[in-house]
Amino acid sequence: MLNRFDLEFFIRKVQLAGARMGIAAFAVCCSGSLGLQVSLASEHKERPNEDGAANIRTLPGFEVELVYSVPNKQGSWVSLAAEKPGRLVASDQYGRLYRITPGTSAESTKVEPLPAKIGRAQGLLYAFESLYVMAHAGDDQPAGLYRLRDTNGDDQYDQVTLILPVDGGGEHGPHAIVLSPDGKSLYVCAGNHTKPPAFQTTALPATWEEDQVIPRQWDAGGHAVGIMAPGGWIAQVDPEGKKVHLVAAGFRNEYDIAFNSAGELFTYDADMEWDVGAPWYRPTRVNHAVSGAEFGWRSGTGKWPAYYPDSLGSVIDIGPGSPTGVTFGTGAKYPAKYQHALYIADWSYGIIYALHLAPDGGTYSAEAELFCSAPAMQVADMVVNPSDGLLYYVVGGRRTQSSLYRVHYRGSDAVTPAPAVELTGVQRDRRRLEELHHSIGVKAVDEAWNFLGNSDRNLRYAARIAIEHQPAETWQNRISQVIDTQTALEISLAAVRSRVPDCKAAVMDQLSALKWNDLAVEQRLHLLRVYGLASIRLADFSASDWQTVVKHVADHFPSGNVQTDLELARLLTAAQHPAATATMVQLLRAAPTQEEQIHYAYCSAYATKGWTPTLREDYFRWFVDSANLRGGHSFSGFIANIRKQAVESLDWSQMDAAVTASLKAVLALEPTETNPQAELAARPVVKQWSMADLLAKVEAPLEGRDFENGKRMFAVTQCFKCHRFEGIGGMVGPDLSAVGRRFSKHDLLESLLVPSKVVSDQYQATIFQMVDGRVITGRVVNLNGQEYMVQEDMLNPGQLTSLKVNDIEEMKASEISMMPANLLDTLTEDDVLDLMAYLRSSGDRNFNEVQSPK
């Protein structure tokens, strides 16, 4: 064994051996330079783990300290809050509450169970001389928001009152509670398996619907089937739980929420990992939860793209993961940059990110920095303790071993309190518009109207929501009077969403008058979305209206812009435009990414016109080839369901015997699967490229390169399988959209030629030496009790290997990248230069180093 692993790998050998004899608990233990983390489980261990934080990776100047290793009898902690000075409160996911008085060491930390008969909390907050608990159902305890009080002064909570019942539970149930910026109310959030309570008021107009232009297919694995809009939600609640105001909705499963020092609300929303590889997959992402926000979660294939104008996008996309706790560093004894940072926890991959926000129009953009990480460090919740100014975080959940940590700053930078974040002028304008998010009348319409044509998306959104709140009679006569393009698009969207009586003629006149070639890409997408919504929401939308739509947009399909073509396919399928069918099949067969291919296959399954025998056979042959595509748990089921729908759409009565026989022969073909890595290896090797071969030519201006060939090379080298580029491609690797702006040409080329030289903690694999002699390398993507789920192949993200903790001999971080080496060896020099130019372009054909051939 020694010849395979470093000697330091055996520091915890005795503990591991003990675990297999049933005497060690699921305790975190790490080994220094390797970033090692080993976890063990048992029913019996009561002593704390002494060195659990020793080698969790942190930023320079920061240090992680183990505060308390939770014995098994105290459960698996998932929620954490600061209580009275010097104390914290935590909750077991399946049990009671615990009060923690942190000591100067793990040995001096005091933990005691609270006697109050309440627990199973995924949200805790001490405010208004009360402990608020967002509890899940169990042991005769209904789910909901509880208020706990100490009525007799004995420092225990003897009064437990359910102030807001909530219908929902489980890991997508009711979650966090935070105090409002003015200290007068609470904010609560819940996942998409939690029915919205009765809202007395709502910032988001209560007109939410599914809004699917073509039929939605439910998740092939059965997840969230039947769950409808608005999905996960955030609400403001008064301290007594009597007044509930909806703030934002359209989330999948946001576990926690946090305000920055300027009173701006943020959350970290979950992806649907079973969708990985499909066009409707949305990565985990941080959302700015402004008043009236809709973020477009819908079940199954129905998730709204981030570019829909009736939804808001993300501040930053993180990628696959399991979002849990979030908090700002306000009050932390850290350098100013980290006091202003938003900390977000990824439970699956064992990462805490520090997000550094920057004003971006009416909202923010962000850069993510790994704050601390370790494999299988299942961070559940975080809080800055006002008593000592340190970030505390707890790991646990799903019956895994829990530990409580805190993060010190030991560096030389000043840690004096940083001034509060200030809003920009544009952000203040957005806030003023948000004050109009209730019924006021003509005055609100007048105030909001001039912002409908604003260049900033968030201002336009806030203005439109303000107008939708006003009675239709205060603004419907203005629809036909608009001459500004952007205002016409926004007010048409408002009218359709609000189902303004007799608005169709004015809306269709406004839209059809817009000249396609005069519209920016964002405006074209807006136009297509309003047309689609009109067909769904307006009862009097007729066949002649569809003809108007087709006349306006069909000649521009394909447009050359990926997102626009995806939406044109969706809309022209709903219109049953015959000519669109051939275009979709051509795009299906030529698309460089599987996400695009699946979208065109999905739309084509509902097309009933425009088919020829050759076209139909070519379409169904794609399903034979689709066996090579890879994705999450539901991926193959979605492909099968799309094919099933396409078969059901066939009109056999219109086919003669020869056509019928030929098509049935194609339908009888078995899917043929090949290894994508073998496909790449089958390409002839041009040269084993080195930095010396290419660096001088790469560092020269990349002018006159072939954009389309660069894009093809991105597909040929399988990059699209794992990486997203300008909104298209996979998400199991980092998004490369901004890689040309963030890295030098030298570093970018080196990352392609020598991927293992620098391996990001975020995407680092772990090597598992098993008791039976096997060596398994992959990323830990999930945990449950004493079991790890490991992703061994990034090209096949849905195939996970289950490893039992007690079967693991040792584990350590791999120094080898999961990105294959020698990817460029089958490319010519021109191919490599075109690929580099494509990556440098960030998708912009007009980038000064990239010019498409004439």
Side-chain angles (χ1 to χ4, degrees), residues 347-491:
W347 190 89
S348 289
Y349 292 113
I351 296 173
I352 298 175
Y353 296 94
L355 263 59
H356 306 293
L357 303 174
D360 186 1
T363 182
Y364 295 83
S365 58
E367 290 189 2
E369 180 180 32
L370 266 71
F371 185 68
C372 60
S373 64
M377 184 181 74
Q378 62 280 17
V379 182
D381 205 3
M382 301 179 288
V383 66
V384 173
N385 188 348
S387 296
D388 56 18
L390 301 180
L391 177 72
Y392 284 71
Y393 69 89
V394 65
V395 301
R398 296 185 184 173
R399 304 192 190 283
T400 59
Q401 165 70 28
S402 278
S403 295
L404 177 66
Y405 299 94
R406 61 187 165 206
V407 184
H408 298 266
Y409 179 69
R410 308 293 194 191
S412 59
D413 292 345
V415 295
T416 53
V421 172
E422 293 186 2
L423 298 176
T424 65
V426 179
Q427 291 170 337
R428 288 194 295 271
D429 285 341
R430 192 205 76 237
R431 286 272 195 97
R432 285 193 293 270
L433 288 168
E434 291 171 355
E435 293 174 1
L436 308 177
H437 288 179
H438 59 100
S439 182
I440 298 171
V442 174
K443 180 181 178 182
V445 176
D446 291 339
E447 289 185 35
W449 192 267
N450 289 335
F451 288 95
L452 292 176
N454 195 278
S455 61
D456 184 79
R457 178 184 181 182
N458 277 67
L459 287 186
R460 295 197 304 268
Y461 185 96
R464 177 178 55 78
I465 293 295
I467 287 175
E468 289 184 22
H469 273 287
Q470 311 316 314
E473 59 268 20
T474 63
W475 56 274
Q476 67 184 98
N477 63 337
R478 301 191 188 191
I479 300 172
S480 59
Q481 301 171 11
V482 175
I483 58 174
D484 171 67
T485 296
Q486 192 63 56
T487 302
L489 289 167
E490 292 291 349
I491 199 62

Side-chain angles (χ1 to χ4, degrees), residues 26 28 37 56 70 75-81 89-94 120-124 136 171 174-178 189 253-258 267-268 321-327 343-353 372-374 376-384 391-405 782-783:
F26 190 86
V28 178
Q37 178 169 326
I56 295 173
V70 181
S76 191
W77 294 359
V78 295
S79 189
L80 187 67
V89 176
S91 178
D92 173 20
Q93 184 175 2
Y94 310 103
R120 300 174 180 265
Q122 291 185 24
L124 295 167
H136 287 234
E171 294 182 0
H175 293 318
I177 320 159
V178 300
C189 68
N253 189 29
E254 77 293 20
Y255 186 80
D256 202 354
I257 51 181
T267 189
Y268 182 25
S322 295
T324 48
V326 306
T327 190
Y343 298 90
I344 63 172
D346 179 348
W347 190 89
S348 289
Y349 292 113
I351 296 173
I352 298 175
Y353 296 94
C372 60
S373 64
M377 184 181 74
Q378 62 280 17
V379 182
D381 205 3
M382 301 179 288
V383 66
V384 173
L391 177 72
Y392 284 71
Y393 69 89
V394 65
V395 301
R398 296 185 184 173
R399 304 192 190 283
T400 59
Q401 165 70 28
S402 278
S403 295
L404 177 66
Y405 299 94
N782 214 331
L783 306 92

Side-chain angles (χ1 to χ4, degrees), residues 215-267:
R216 175 252 309 282
Q217 291 192 1
W218 297 105
D219 177 71
H223 182 79
V225 171
I227 294 182
M228 312 295 271
W233 47 268
I234 297 174
Q236 184 180 14
V237 183
D238 74 301
E240 289 76 37
K242 296 178 180 178
K243 297 178 181 179
V244 186
H245 171 73
L246 178 65
V247 174
F251 302 101
R252 180 174 182 260
N253 189 29
E254 77 293 20
Y255 186 80
D256 202 354
I257 51 181
F259 286 97
N260 72 359
S261 56
E264 300 281 278
L265 182 62
F266 296 84
T267 189

Side-chain angles (χ1 to χ4, degrees), residues 338-643:
Y338 295 96
Q339 294 180 49
H340 288 152
L342 172 62
Y343 298 90
I344 63 172
D346 179 348
W347 190 89
S348 289
Y349 292 113
I351 296 173
I352 298 175
Y353 296 94
L355 263 59
H356 306 293
L357 303 174
D360 186 1
T363 182
Y364 295 83
S365 58
E367 290 189 2
E369 180 180 32
L370 266 71
F371 185 68
C372 60
S373 64
M377 184 181 74
Q378 62 280 17
V379 182
D381 205 3
M382 301 179 288
V383 66
V384 173
N385 188 348
S387 296
D388 56 18
L390 301 180
L391 177 72
Y392 284 71
Y393 69 89
V394 65
V395 301
R398 296 185 184 173
R399 304 192 190 283
T400 59
Q401 165 70 28
S402 278
S403 295
L404 177 66
Y405 299 94
R406 61 187 165 206
V407 184
H408 298 266
Y409 179 69
R410 308 293 194 191
S412 59
D413 292 345
V415 295
T416 53
V421 172
E422 293 186 2
L423 298 176
T424 65
V426 179
Q427 291 170 337
R428 288 194 295 271
D429 285 341
R430 192 205 76 237
R431 286 272 195 97
R432 285 193 293 270
L433 288 168
E434 291 171 355
E435 293 174 1
L436 308 177
H437 288 179
H438 59 100
S439 182
I440 298 171
V442 174
K443 180 181 178 182
V445 176
D446 291 339
E447 289 185 35
W449 192 267
N450 289 335
F451 288 95
L452 292 176
N454 195 278
S455 61
D456 184 79
R457 178 184 181 182
N458 277 67
L459 287 186
R460 295 197 304 268
Y461 185 96
R464 177 178 55 78
I465 293 295
I467 287 175
E468 289 184 22
H469 273 287
Q470 311 316 314
E473 59 268 20
T474 63
W475 56 274
Q476 67 184 98
N477 63 337
R478 301 191 188 191
I479 300 172
S480 59
Q481 301 171 11
V482 175
I483 58 174
D484 171 67
T485 296
Q486 192 63 56
T487 302
L489 289 167
E490 292 291 349
I491 199 62
S492 297
L493 177 60
V496 170
R497 279 175 41 85
S498 303
R499 287 191 168 91
V500 171
D502 303 320
C503 74
K504 187 188 74 171
V507 167
M508 294 300 286
D509 285 347
Q510 282 285 4
L511 299 180
S512 59
L514 300 176
K515 295 181 179 180
W516 181 271
N517 291 333
D518 292 341
L519 302 178
V521 169
E522 183 181 20
Q523 292 174 322
R524 292 174 182 176
L525 292 167
H526 196 145
L527 171 70
L528 298 174
R529 177 58 171 169
V530 181
Y531 271 143
L533 285 177
S535 73
I536 297 166
R537 292 203 174 202
L538 301 185
D540 56 345
F541 196 89
S542 64
S544 64
D545 295 314
W546 273 123
Q547 291 173 4
T548 299
V549 173
V550 169
K551 182 179 179 180
H552 192 185
V553 306
D555 289 345
H556 304 289
F557 184 44
S559 70
N561 175 269
V562 172
Q563 294 174 336
T564 305
D565 287 337
L566 298 179
E567 288 309 307
L568 281 166
R570 201 190 311 263
L571 188 64
L572 293 173
T573 296
Q576 290 299 325
H577 178 50
T581 301
T583 303
M584 287 193 295
V585 175
Q586 291 165 7
L587 290 170
L588 163 68
R589 302 303 283 178
T593 73
Q594 67 180 45
E595 288 81 4
E596 292 172 79
Q597 293 175 32
I598 294 166
H599 178 86
Y600 293 125
Y602 171 47
C603 292
S604 299
Y606 293 94
T608 58
K609 299 179 180 179
W611 292 101
T612 66
T614 301
L615 199 63
R616 192 179 286 112
E617 289 187 14
D618 197 26
Y619 171 72
F620 279 107
R621 285 183 188 277
W622 176 84
F623 290 97
V624 178
D625 300 335
S626 71
N628 291 323
L629 306 182
R630 297 291 185 271
H633 175 77
S634 296
F635 185 82
S636 59
F638 273 123
I639 300 294
N641 289 343
I642 291 170
R643 184 182 185 277

